[in-house]
Amino acid sequence: MATRLVCLLARWNFVTPNRVTWAALYVGLGSAWFFFQGDWTSLCIGAALYHVSFILDCIDGKLARLKGNGTVFGGWLDYVFDRIRVLFCALALMGGQFLRADEEIFLLAALAVIFLDMLRYVDALQIYKMRMSMRNKIEAVTLARQAEQGLEEEERKVVFIEDLLRENPLGQADELKRQSAETEQAEVIDLHQQFRERFPWYARVRHALVQSRIRPHLISGIEFQMFIFIVGPVIGHVLWTTAVSAVLMGGFELVIMFKFWLSTRDFTRTMERLDPGSTPSRAGSIAPHLHAGRHRRRADGDYLEAAEADRRFPAPDPYEDPGFQPYPRPYPDEYTGGVTDTMQLTKIPSQAVPRPDYAGPERHPR
């Protein structure tokens, strides 16, 4: 339905993605008002309005991609308004039922809905961030190795199995690996190998679902909202529908977390194979130069050891942890140009400052 409406709305220039996002919020707040009334007729009207709001929420992104007028702010607006809509609708739906039935369990249900919705989307963003970090590290090491082997820049490439599966949804992972190795002469990085080894039946189930145009991610925030805010109010069993959908989505989120954990193990094995020298030999223990603390007095022979440890245990790169700063530092005032020492770093005892002859990384306080 959203796809067909996009083709119609795209003809008018005054229909912009951000305006559609605002419309989705207003319609969603309207559904919350009807949810709060509590009677069955109002619940059905609220469910219908919520569905309209959800359709509008599906339209804004498609419209932005179709017309090429999407913005970073629009993406943020869409995400925040979705959370606001779920928050108000959950409080209104469960609050209205609480006022009618005077049962505290509806208040607990409201908290559960809000918590699971936040968990779903926060976890999805964090997993995406970590996956991109793993990809960036593997790409950096692989391209550096290929450069050392004398490959020209246009010949250097890194292929990930998830990219191949995205381009060929009906393909099999092993077959895509073989074809890529033969045609592109490139090694395929597979960060889902352990998951497929432990659950070999998953590939067959996924293939059957995709063939039927059903996405393998069966229970997500979309289905969760549909059950609670549309199915439950219409059939008149808000509490039971909420409980069933909460259990289903909670279980599915645990599966996603378990799959991500296996991916991190694949990442560790891949990095050990690609760059053995970067893997700490004493994994699980404290780095020797950190036992006494970086700010304490060092013996005369400890500085070279600390420099070598800093080389082996570097601070995260900017793309891994944006805004990372191991130690606070004075910063220049943008108007006067002077240094504002809000942390009084100039008063740090002298023994906390590395010796002048120590040329360690800049993240050490001077």
Side-chain angles (χ1 to χ4, degrees):
M1 187 180 298
T3 303
R4 287 163 174 77
L5 287 175
V6 164
C7 297
L8 177 65
L9 296 176
R11 302 176 182 180
W12 292 291
N13 291 330
F14 69 89
V15 180
T16 64
N18 284 354
R19 289 176 178 175
V20 175
T21 303
W22 278 99
L25 174 66
Y26 291 144
V27 176
L29 295 179
S31 69
W33 188 86
F34 280 99
F35 282 150
F36 190 70
Q37 307 310 307
D39 60 279
W40 184 77
T41 302
S42 297
L43 290 180
C44 289
I45 297 174
L49 288 177
Y50 194 91
H51 195 231
V52 173
S53 174
F54 183 77
I55 292 174
L56 293 174
D57 185 44
C58 294
I59 287 175
D60 54 6
K62 291 178 171 59
L63 187 64
R65 288 188 292 272
L66 178 63
K67 302 181 71 172
N69 58 350
T71 62
V72 175
F73 178 76
W76 172 85
L77 200 70
D78 181 36
Y79 178 83
V80 173
F81 282 2
D82 284 350
R83 310 284 67 75
I84 293 175
R85 180 182 59 186
V86 172
L87 173 65
F88 275 85
C89 287
L91 292 176
L93 177 62
M94 301 305 173
Q97 296 303 302
F98 166 73
L99 293 178
R100 291 179 64 87
D102 194 23
E103 296 181 7
E104 291 80 1
I105 192 171
F106 285 103
L107 301 180
L108 296 177
L111 293 178
V113 171
I114 296 171
F115 169 76
L116 287 174
D117 179 76
M118 296 297 178
L119 173 65
R120 165 74 186 97
Y121 284 92
V122 170
D123 185 48
L125 289 176
Q126 190 65 17
I127 287 180
Y128 175 77
K129 175 184 174 182
M130 294 297 102
R131 287 195 182 280
M132 293 305 297
S133 175
M134 292 190 295
R135 284 176 61 108
N136 289 334
K137 290 180 181 179
I138 291 175
E139 285 180 350
V141 172
T142 304
L143 294 176
R145 289 184 60 191
Q146 293 175 352
E148 293 175 357
Q149 296 171 359
L151 293 178
E152 299 294 334
E153 185 173 356
E154 59 273 8
E155 296 177 349
R156 303 171 198 167
K157 61 180 65 177
V158 185
V159 181
F160 290 89
I161 187 63
E162 54 261 35
D163 295 335
L164 298 178
L165 288 173
R166 191 177 299 110
E167 296 170 1
N168 305 274
L170 297 178
Q172 297 292 337
D174 294 336
E175 182 65 21
L176 292 175
K177 282 184 185 180
R178 185 186 61 81
Q179 293 178 359
S180 179
E182 293 177 354
T183 58
E184 301 185 24
Q185 300 296 320
E187 178 185 5
V188 178
I189 304 298
D190 188 359
L191 296 182
H192 302 284
Q193 183 174 350
Q194 288 196 44
F195 181 81
R196 279 193 293 273
E197 290 177 352
R198 294 196 181 200
F199 307 98
W201 49 265
Y202 172 77
R204 297 188 296 271
V205 173
R206 177 188 177 277
H207 190 269
L209 291 175
V210 173
Q211 277 190 320
S212 303
R213 299 190 65 187
I214 301 174
R215 61 178 187 162
H217 198 156
L218 296 176
I219 304 295
S220 68
I222 298 173
E223 290 76 23
F224 182 64
Q225 294 178 36
M226 294 298 101
F227 270 105
I228 293 174
F229 299 121
I230 295 180
V231 176
V234 170
I235 66 176
H237 293 285
V238 174
L239 197 60
W240 281 107
T241 307
T242 300
V244 172
S245 58
V247 170
L248 290 175
M249 197 186 78
F252 208 84
E253 283 301 304
L254 291 177
V255 173
I256 292 175
M257 295 176 188
F258 177 70
K259 184 179 179 181
F260 175 67
W261 174 66
L262 293 179
S263 294
T264 61
R265 298 184 63 182
D266 285 325
F267 167 75
T268 301
R269 292 196 309 179
T270 301
M271 290 298 294
E272 289 176 352
R273 176 172 54 82
L274 295 175
D275 190 14
S278 66
T279 305
S281 59
R282 300 178 61 186
S285 62
I286 300 176
H289 67 303
L290 295 180
H291 277 290
R294 290 177 182 259
H295 294 292
R296 298 184 181 179
R297 184 186 299 275
R298 302 181 188 276
D300 292 337
D302 289 346
Y303 292 96
L304 293 178
E305 180 183 351
E308 174 62 19
D310 286 325
R311 185 189 67 80
R312 295 183 55 203
F313 303 96
D317 290 325
Y319 62 77
E320 300 173 26
D321 193 357
F324 175 80
Q325 190 62 259
Y327 299 105
R329 300 182 185 179
Y331 57 91
D333 187 273
E334 59 179 331
Y335 299 106
T336 65
V339 175
T340 303
D341 190 4
T342 57
M343 301 295 294
Q344 297 185 340
L345 301 180
T346 57
K347 298 182 180 180
I348 294 178
S350 58
Q351 64 266 26
V353 182
R355 292 172 48 172
D357 57 349
Y358 169 52
E362 286 193 1
R363 67 175 183 270
H364 284 274
R366 292 293 193 266

